[in-house]
C-alpha cells in the first residue's frame, strides 16, 4: 500500500555535508519526495516535535542537538513507507545498525544518528503536518 512518512535529515548530517548523499540513498530506495525544505528548529519547535520523549532522560540533550543547526524535513511516499524507511535508516544506535543502512553509513552516535523516521502511519500523518501544509505535498 502506498503510504506517506516523514524523515528529518538531522543536524550532524547537514554539518557533515551528507544531505545530498542521504537524499540520493532515499531516492534509490524508491521514495518519492513530496515536500522538503531546510529549517533551523527553534527550541519550542523541537520540544513540541519530540514531546512524546519528554519524560526520557535524554530529552533536553535531544532538543539541544536538534536545534544545534539546520535540518531537512522531507515528506516521502512509497509502498509501505513507514516500515521501509525504518529498515533503510537502521537501528537507533549506529553501532547496532545493519551494514549499508543510513545510520550505519553516516551516524556518529546514539544521539547524532543522522536521520529521523516516523514510527507509525498515525505519527507520520502528525509529523508531516507539523512541517508541511497539505497543499505543499506535490
Ligand atoms: P528512533 O525512533 O530510532 O529515532 O529512536 P527514539 O524514538 O527512541 O529516540 C529519538 C531520538 O532520540 C533518537 O533518534 C536519538 O537521536 C535520540 N536518542 C535515543 N536514545 C538516546 C539515548 O539513549 N541518549 C541520547 N543522548 N539520545 C538518544
Amino acid at each position: 500500500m502506498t503510504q506517506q512518512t516523514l524523515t528529518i535529515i538531522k543536524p550532524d548530517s547537514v554539518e557533515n555535508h551528507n544531505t545530498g548523499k542521504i537524499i540520493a540513498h532515499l531516492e534509490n530506495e524508491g521514495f518519492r519526495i513530496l515536500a522538503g525544505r531546510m529549517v533551523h528548529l527553534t527550541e519550542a519547535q523541537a520540544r513540541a516535535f519530540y514531546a512524546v520523549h519528554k519524560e526520557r532522560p535524554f530529552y533536553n540533550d535531544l532538543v539541544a542537538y536538534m536545534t544545534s543547526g539546520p535540518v531537512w524535513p522531507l515528506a516521502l511516499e512509497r509502498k509501505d513507507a513507514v516500515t521501509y524507511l525504518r529498515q533503510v535508516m537502521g537501528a537507533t544506535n549506529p553501532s547496532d545498525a545493519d551494514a549499508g543502512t543510513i545510520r550505519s553509513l553516516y551516524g556518529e552516535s546514539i544521539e547524532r544518528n543522522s536521520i529521523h523516521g516516523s514510527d507509525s502511519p498515525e505519527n507520520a500523518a502528525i509529523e508531516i503536518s507539523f512541517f508541511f501544509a497539505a497543499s505543499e505535498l506535490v
Side-chain angles (χ1 to χ4, degrees):
M1 186 185 59
T2 300
Q3 222 177 30
Q4 296 180 358
T5 193
L6 183 91
T7 190
I8 305 177
I9 299 175
K10 290 183 170 182
D12 58 303
S13 300
V14 178
E15 207 176 300
N16 295 330
H17 306 162
N18 289 326
T19 305
K21 284 175 258 182
I22 292 173
I23 290 175
H25 193 122
L26 293 170
E27 290 193 316
N28 286 335
E29 291 288 356
F31 289 97
R32 197 167 77 76
I33 299 170
L34 302 176
R37 74 166 77 86
M38 189 162 73
V39 294
H40 195 145
L41 296 176
T42 64
E43 186 181 330
Q45 284 174 315
R47 286 194 181 281
F49 185 81
Y50 281 113
V52 291
H53 291 315
K54 65 177 187 293
E55 307 304 334
R56 310 272 287 272
F58 57 81
Y59 178 64
N60 286 334
D61 287 344
L62 177 59
V63 169
Y65 157 57
M66 289 300 290
T67 56
S68 67
V71 298
W72 282 84
L74 302 166
L76 302 173
E77 184 175 79
R78 191 193 183 284
K79 181 170 181 291
D80 298 327
V82 171
T83 306
Y84 199 80
L85 177 62
R86 302 288 306 183
Q87 283 174 23
V88 166
M89 282 164 48
T92 306
N93 190 341
S95 61
D96 298 334
D98 289 343
T101 59
I102 292 173
R103 283 170 163 169
S104 154
L105 289 167
Y106 305 114
E108 294 179 5
S109 68
I110 192 164
E111 179 176 271
R112 294 171 61 86
N113 61 359
S114 75
I115 189 169
H116 167 84
S118 306
D119 64 2
S120 67
E122 296 72 28
N123 283 338
I126 293 167
E127 291 181 358
I128 289 172
S129 67
F130 187 92
F131 289 105
F132 303 107
S135 61
E136 292 178 294
L137 306 178
V138 294

